[in-house]
Structures are given as structure tokens and as C-alpha cells.
Amino acid sequence: MINAQTKLFGLLGNPVGHSLSPFMQNIFLEQCGVNGVYLAFAVAPDKVGDALRGMFALGVQGANVTIPYKEAVIPYLCGMSKAAQACNAVNTLIYTEKGYYGDNTDGAGLLAALAREHDWRPEGRKILVVGAGGAARGVSVAMALQGAAEICIANRSAEHAAALAEQIESLGNVKATAVPLEQLQKEALYTQYHTIVNTTSLGMSPHVERMIPLRAELLDAEHLVVDLVYNPLETRLLRTAKEHGAKTASGLGMLLYQGALAFEAWTGKAVDPEPVRQRMIAQLSGAAQ
Ligand code: NAP
């Protein structure tokens, strides 16, 4: 029931029509008994500052930020978390009296999902991250900040991989290396790294036949293969990895848990995203038809 006390939350991006965040966040609001509503706003590139000033003036309690504005919102914030600073990207705006505080829950969301789904934690691990874009940055920074021993970045563009590896190593206490994507053909990589995280968009609908150049025959039950893509839920990469005995995790877990962490920051209420998982799967299946 919307009334005079209803709080507003939202999503800023462009486009936003495909986003599952309004569906998910409105269920969280209902589940936690918060009198609020979450809406999606497609903002023009030259209106990002106006959007944040207007939201603040109206007392919008919190928002998510998606492509292409994760960096563009930064000049309008009153402060940023360590994760957001290290990624130079913000996916969550939290209302404070001084203005919006920026956080980045993408990486922490993936780690929360992997802990829940596979009891997997980054401490002391050697991890292969495929891709060097915004999602790779979020995920690698979170893994480095939570104690990963080594992160290897494999990417199509060597300069992007090298820049990300350098940035990760600057966080301290973690070894970071960069290799070309073709290195995924090397057998040694599969003995060295037992966690492989695809952060590229390869395999995302409608190009579902695509996948990173994985040597699936070198996988076994020791390997965990993670795909940040969640549409389709089971990508060709995950299907292939599963067929060869590896453990797998889809991007849906990351989506659910980054949203739950943002929700908690806005409302102070911890939400369990697991009851929402099946509804998200049904929503995604509907979207795919
Ligand atoms: P991005 O910044 O544009 O980065 C894309 C990455 O993919 C780059 O490393 C790029 O390599 C690589 N790439 C793109 N096309 C390729 C191709 N044909 N062959 C080889 N490499 C290719 O995008 P992003 O924001 O990181 O997002 C990446 C994916 O993560 C998307 O599918 C997105 O939906 C997903 N994601 C999921 C969640 C979640 O909650 N599950 C959250 C965030 C993102 P170059 O450096 O060579 O260009």
C-alpha cells in the first residue's frame, strides 16, 4: 500500500528496461515489511548530476547505479567505501544528511553468493579471472581485499589485463599477473588455478553459443567455474564445465546478493535473498521466451 510515508528507492542507468533489480528489490521491501517502492530511471548522459541533486532534494533513500554511470556519479557523492574507491565504480547510493555515500556491492555480492552456494572463500586462493572490464575490477578487488593469494587476469586486450593486474597488486598482499586470453589453452593454467571466473559477456543472450576458449577436458571436481552472466541461467560455459565434473555458479547469485547488500545498507535490515531466487529464475525464464 503506497501512502504518505512510502520511501522511494531506485535504479539509475541507461538503458534500464531489461533490469531485474526493480522486481527483486520490491520483493525485498515486501519481505522485510518496509513501506517503500523501487523504480527504474533511465537517465540521459548529461543529466546525471541533475538526477542525483533531485533525488537528494526529494529524500530518495537509496539507489543502485548501473551501466554506463558507475563512474559518472562519483563527482556528486559525499564519500565512498574502500571497495568503491578501489574499483573507481559505484553501484549503490546511500542517503546521508551530507549527500549520497557511494558503495560497490558487486564483488562482495559475488563472494557472499559463492560462500552460500559452495562454502567458497577467497582467503589464500589462486584465482583466474577472465576479462578485465568493470565487473572484473569489482570482483578482483573484492577477492584481493578479502585475502586472495594470487589473481591472474586473462583478457582479449593485453593492455586492459595489465592495467587491472597492476591495480590489484597495488592493494597489497596479493600477487597479480596478466596473460593473453589464448593462455586458457595451456594445461598448466588448470593445475595452477582451481577457481575460474568468467567476467566477459561471452555467452550472454542472444549469443548463447559463445564461450571463453576453455580446455574443458582439463577440469575436474576440484575446479569451480563461475560465470557472471545470468541470462541464460546456464551458459554454454557452465554446461560444459558441469559435464566435465567441475562445480559451477551462475551470475544469478551475484545479482541476488549484491542487491541484498545494497538493501541492507539502505534500510538497516538484513534480507535473505534465497527465497527470491526461484522467483527470479521464473522471471528470467519468462524473459527468455
Ligand atoms: P565491460 O566493462 O564492457 O567488460 C567486458 C569484458 O569482456 C572486457 O574484458 C572485454 O575484453 C571482454 N570481452 C567482450 N567481448 C569479448 C569477446 N568477443 N571476446 C573476448 N573478450 C570479450 O563489461 P562489464 O560491466 O565488466 O560486464 C561483463 C559481464 O558481466 C556482462 O555480461 C554483465 O552482464 C556481467 N555482470 C553480471 C553481474 C551480476 O550481478 N551477475 C554484475 C555485473 C556484470 P576487452 O578488454 O578486450 O574489451
Side-chain angles (χ1 to χ4, degrees), residues 67 131-135 155-157 160 181 199-202 204 228-230 251 254-255:
I67 288 171
N155 192 49
R156 176 179 62 180
S157 309
H160 295 163
L181 198 58
T199 72
T200 76
S201 47
L202 288 174
M204 192 164 84
L228 298 202
V229 173
Y230 55 80
M254 174 171 172
L255 182 68

Side-chain angles (χ1 to χ4, degrees), residues 45 61 73 84 97-98 117 124 179 196 205 218 236 249 253 261 265 267:
Q61 291 296 294
V73 296
E97 281 179 5
K98 290 184 189 155
E117 293 168 20
V179 297
I196 302 170
S205 179
L218 299 174
R236 184 176 163 206
L261 290 170
T267 63

Side-chain angles (χ1 to χ4, degrees), residues 202-241:
L202 288 174
M204 192 164 84
S205 179
H207 303 294
V208 294
E209 73 294 348
R210 294 187 185 166
M211 73 177 228
I212 54 172
L214 187 83
R215 293 269 309 270
E217 74 279 12
L218 299 174
L219 296 174
D220 59 35
E222 290 297 307
H223 289 93
L224 170 63
V225 178
V226 183
D227 201 338
L228 298 202
V229 173
Y230 55 80
N231 190 9
L233 271 170
E234 188 173 70
T235 56
R236 184 176 163 206
L237 170 65
L238 293 189
R239 200 168 53 248
T240 308

Side-chain angles (χ1 to χ4, degrees), residues 12-237:
L12 304 187
N14 202 343
V16 291
H18 65 286
S19 175
L20 285 172
S21 288
F23 180 77
M24 175 175 68
Q25 294 290 353
N26 283 305
I27 299 175
F28 290 165
L29 288 165
E30 196 186 333
Q31 197 174 306
C32 292
V34 177
N35 181 359
V37 64
Y38 182 107
L39 299 174
F41 300 104
V43 177
D46 61 342
K47 295 285 189 286
V48 173
D50 289 349
L52 265 86
R53 279 187 289 270
M55 281 165 53
F56 186 69
L58 294 174
V60 173
Q61 291 296 294
N64 289 122
V65 184
T66 188
I67 288 171
Y69 300 134
K70 289 186 180 185
E71 251 182 85
V73 296
I74 291 175
Y76 307 101
L77 305 178
C78 66
M80 283 204 283
S81 69
K82 197 171 173 185
Q85 281 178 41
C87 301
N88 198 37
V90 164
N91 82 333
T92 302
L93 304 177
I94 303 152
Y95 181 92
T96 77
E97 281 179 5
K98 290 184 189 155
Y100 286 108
Y101 180 81
D103 193 5
N104 193 318
T105 63
D106 279 337
L110 177 66
L111 297 188
L114 295 181
R116 176 73 179 239
E117 293 168 20
H118 291 285
D119 200 19
W120 185 99
R121 284 168 188 77
E123 288 89 348
R125 303 251 190 197
K126 294 181 172 185
I127 300 151
L128 177 64
V129 172
V130 185
R137 208 159 19 139
V139 162
S140 313
V141 162
M143 288 175 167
L145 292 177
Q146 292 202 24
E150 187 180 325
I151 297 176
C152 176
I153 310 288
N155 192 49
R156 176 179 62 180
S157 309
E159 67 276 18
H160 295 163
L164 180 55
E166 195 179 323
Q167 190 197 349
I168 292 163
E169 209 154 61
S170 74
L171 296 171
N173 293 329
V174 58
K175 182 180 170 201
T177 51
V179 297
L181 198 58
E182 298 75 53
Q183 287 274 328
L184 262 72
Q185 291 295 311
K186 292 260 161 72
E187 194 168 342
L189 219 65
Y190 298 82
T191 45
Q192 214 174 338
Y193 302 100
H194 286 164
T195 307
I196 302 170
V197 186
N198 173 45
T199 72
T200 76
S201 47
L202 288 174
M204 192 164 84
S205 179
H207 303 294
V208 294
E209 73 294 348
R210 294 187 185 166
M211 73 177 228
I212 54 172
L214 187 83
R215 293 269 309 270
E217 74 279 12
L218 299 174
L219 296 174
D220 59 35
E222 290 297 307
H223 289 93
L224 170 63
V225 178
V226 183
D227 201 338
L228 298 202
V229 173
Y230 55 80
N231 190 9
L233 271 170
E234 188 173 70
T235 56
R236 184 176 163 206
L237 170 65

